[in-house]
Amino acid sequence: MARKYFGTDGIRGRTNQTPMTAEIAMKVGQAAGAYFLRGTHRHRVLIGKDTRLSGYMMENALTAGFTSVGMDVTLVGPMPTPAVAMLTRSMRADLGVMVSASHNPFADNGIKLFGPDGYKLSDEAEAAIEAMIDGTVGLAPAEAIGRARRIEDAQGRYIQTVKASFPEHLRLDGLRVVIDCANGAAYRVAPTALWELGAELIQIGVDPNGLNINEKVGSTAPGALQAKVVETRADIGIALDGDADRLIVVDDRGEIVDGDQLMALIAAAAARDGRLAGGGVVATIMSNLGLERFLAERGIALHRTPVGDRYVVEAMRAGGYNIGGEQSGHIVLADHATTGDGLIAALQVLAELVISGERAHRLLRQFDPLPQLLKNVRFSGGQPLDDDAVRTVIAECERELADAGRLVIRKSGTEPLIRVMAEGEDRALVARVVDRICDAVRRAA
């Protein structure tokens, strides 16, 4: 059954348009609060947000919803998504909420929900909450309405957790690091953690004004980071996205290093040190075939999931794996976090840089990726992938690629986009099939 509110990563949309209105946010608070009212203890929800202007509105609307059903609210202000997950579990909250649209422009916002264990909710839990949003939720009697309070030391708690993931015997002294926080949720905690570990820091994307989150900075717009690394002759550059759950690295030559290369480095180091659980790594269908071959050469299996870090985490938990992620930079390290954490992943990369003594451009090129091309086609309505002409073109392209490559076509779970990706040994063939499919989708859309 199609979802009305929840997508692949919570609820997301343009602010003040359905479903991202204050009215619906309040109903989400009421529904999620009622769903987690279990037992006789005093119930608590923890709410964090990124730096979007609309965060104030959504935070207050959610607070009204939760308190109206009798749940106390703890507000932590601008904090990374993984920090909200960590704090939800450590503070014994019944539920955690992150108000963020991740890498999207400031005009969008979203609501991500975490259970008391710090993991994102299952499809079944989201479906149950969604059914309650449009239903009738019982409100608390006047004397049982919840209270709201803000805690001031949340950032320090998260910084300590992040630093604990870094090898105790290492420091970042002498390492020049450019950190780009996307004018987002990590604009304070990420520079502080790196500075406390001894890095020489150059900071960009650390001046949020409510409107500039992800604007020409961050992991989805790494041009500013590339330029700054070259300009300052830095050893490495680190870019987070708006809610800091993903990471893109730039080497000392100003070249981008994606999540596949980072997973290869982290997994190889874990295998070397006997820290790799489950004998494998979990990645999505978008990860490059070069990663799969690199891992196989070292006796490490690659297990693929649908796109979305929640599916990666589900597979990791089911199979007992401790490393997983996405090519886009969501790196999940289960020994340290319950969801993707860009800062923790960055520290594992920096640790290997210190241990190896190599330049970043050498260390971070773990394998040669196969030619891969991804293009997006925006559509305004309908189901372009159900069009007969589109299906015919896709089938023809699959036959062209045959055993020499892969084709992945999917509808985005967060934006009105059809994503078309092809991969193979023949770069010209890859480009040709992607263009053919995109043209067909545009005609259908």
Side-chain angles (χ1 to χ4, degrees):
M1 181 183 296
R3 300 284 194 93
K4 181 177 179 181
Y5 298 111
F6 285 91
T8 57
D9 196 16
I11 303 172
R12 191 177 297 189
R14 191 172 180 84
T15 308
N16 277 343
Q17 296 180 15
T18 302
M20 204 43 53
T21 65
E23 179 185 13
I24 292 177
M26 185 178 74
K27 290 181 177 179
V28 170
Q30 291 174 329
Y35 182 80
F36 279 93
L37 285 175
R38 304 164 185 173
T40 58
H41 65 281
R42 190 70 190 176
H43 293 80
R44 180 193 301 145
V45 57
L46 184 140
I47 302 178
K49 62 181 181 178
D50 64 22
T51 56
R52 294 164 207 271
L53 179 63
S54 58
Y56 295 99
M57 177 183 77
M58 304 306 291
E59 178 186 59
N60 287 329
L62 284 162
T63 298
F66 282 116
T67 53
S68 73
V69 297
M71 187 171 273
D72 289 340
V73 176
T74 299
L75 301 169
V76 299
M79 289 286 282
T81 289
V84 169
M86 180 273 291
L87 289 166
T88 297
R89 185 168 61 172
S90 70
M91 294 184 67
R92 311 297 195 273
D94 299 275
L95 175 66
V97 182
M98 179 65 181
V99 180
S100 174
S102 189
H103 59 279
N104 286 22
F106 88 92
D108 294 344
N109 216 330
I111 299 171
K112 303 179 185 183
L113 302 178
F114 294 90
D117 57 1
Y119 287 96
K120 292 180 181 179
L121 301 188
S122 66
D123 288 339
E124 293 74 21
E126 287 185 348
I129 292 171
E130 184 163 286
M132 296 169 70
I133 292 173
D134 289 332
T136 301
V137 176
L139 302 181
E143 67 276 10
I145 290 173
R147 302 173 184 269
R149 66 187 291 259
R150 191 172 298 275
I151 59 172
E152 303 300 333
D153 65 341
Q155 292 183 6
R157 298 188 193 193
Y158 174 63
I159 289 169
Q160 285 303 110
T161 298
V162 167
K163 287 169 59 184
S165 74
F166 191 75
E168 201 169 77
H169 65 286
L170 298 180
R171 287 185 57 84
L172 298 177
D173 294 357
L175 206 63
R176 179 175 292 184
V177 180
V178 181
I179 176 71
D180 177 356
C181 297
N183 291 318
Y187 77 102
R188 287 180 178 168
V189 295
T192 301
L194 293 171
W195 176 80
E196 289 184 5
L197 288 170
E200 178 187 342
L201 283 185
I202 297 100
Q203 303 178 42
I204 61 176
V206 291
D207 298 298
N209 60 17
L211 308 177
N212 62 358
I213 187 170
N214 300 314
E215 184 181 13
K216 298 180 181 179
V217 287
S219 63
T220 53
L225 178 63
Q226 291 176 278
K228 186 61 72 172
V229 167
V230 173
E231 173 196 335
T232 60
R233 298 183 180 180
D235 296 297
I236 195 170
I238 295 166
L240 307 174
D241 68 337
D243 67 337
D245 65 352
R246 77 164 71 181
L247 162 75
I248 291 293
V249 169
V250 169
D251 68 22
D252 53 304
R253 293 180 173 178
E255 296 180 1
I256 295 171
V257 182
D258 67 15
D260 283 348
Q261 296 283 1
L262 303 181
M263 279 190 284
L265 175 68
I266 293 169
R272 177 197 67 207
D273 298 339
R275 296 182 286 104
L276 184 66
V281 171
V282 179
T284 75
I285 54 175
M286 301 299 287
S287 278
N288 196 276
L289 188 57
L291 171 63
E292 189 168 347
R293 293 176 178 177
F294 170 86
L295 295 174
E297 290 171 358
R298 288 153 181 80
I300 302 171
L302 180 67
H303 303 272
R304 294 186 184 269
T305 73
V307 173
D309 64 321
R310 63 180 295 176
Y311 302 115
V312 171
V313 172
E314 287 172 5
M316 290 173 66
R317 296 180 75 185
Y321 305 106
N322 62 345
I323 296 175
E326 296 188 276
Q327 187 184 64
S328 61
H330 285 114
I331 310 294
V332 184
L333 303 174
D335 292 340
H336 307 294
T338 57
T339 188
D341 191 315
L343 185 52
I344 285 179
L347 288 182
Q348 313 318 303
V349 174
L350 292 173
E352 285 305 304
L353 199 61
V354 173
I355 291 169
S356 70
E358 291 190 45
R359 300 289 298 276
H361 70 271
R362 293 185 182 276
L363 176 69
L364 301 179
R365 292 294 183 273
Q366 292 285 302
F367 65 88
D368 293 325
L370 268 68
Q372 188 182 77
L373 181 63
L374 169 65
K375 289 189 176 181
N376 299 321
V377 182
R378 188 169 293 275
F379 67 99
S380 57
Q383 300 293 332
L385 295 182
D386 293 338
D387 184 85
D388 288 340
V390 173
R391 288 180 171 180
T392 298
V393 171
I394 291 173
E396 292 172 356
C397 290
E398 285 176 335
R399 286 193 293 271
E400 276 195 81
L401 283 171
D403 296 330
R406 294 191 307 130
L407 190 61
V408 178
I409 302 155
R410 66 182 185 89
K411 183 179 177 182
S412 169
T414 58
E415 299 177 84
L417 298 173
I418 302 297
R419 304 193 190 278
V420 181
M421 188 277 281
E423 175 183 74
E425 302 281 359
D426 187 336
R427 188 180 300 275
L429 175 59
V430 166
R432 185 165 66 250
V433 299
V434 168
D435 286 342
R436 278 194 66 196
I437 295 169
C438 287
D439 288 344
V441 171
R442 287 189 193 95
R443 288 193 294 270

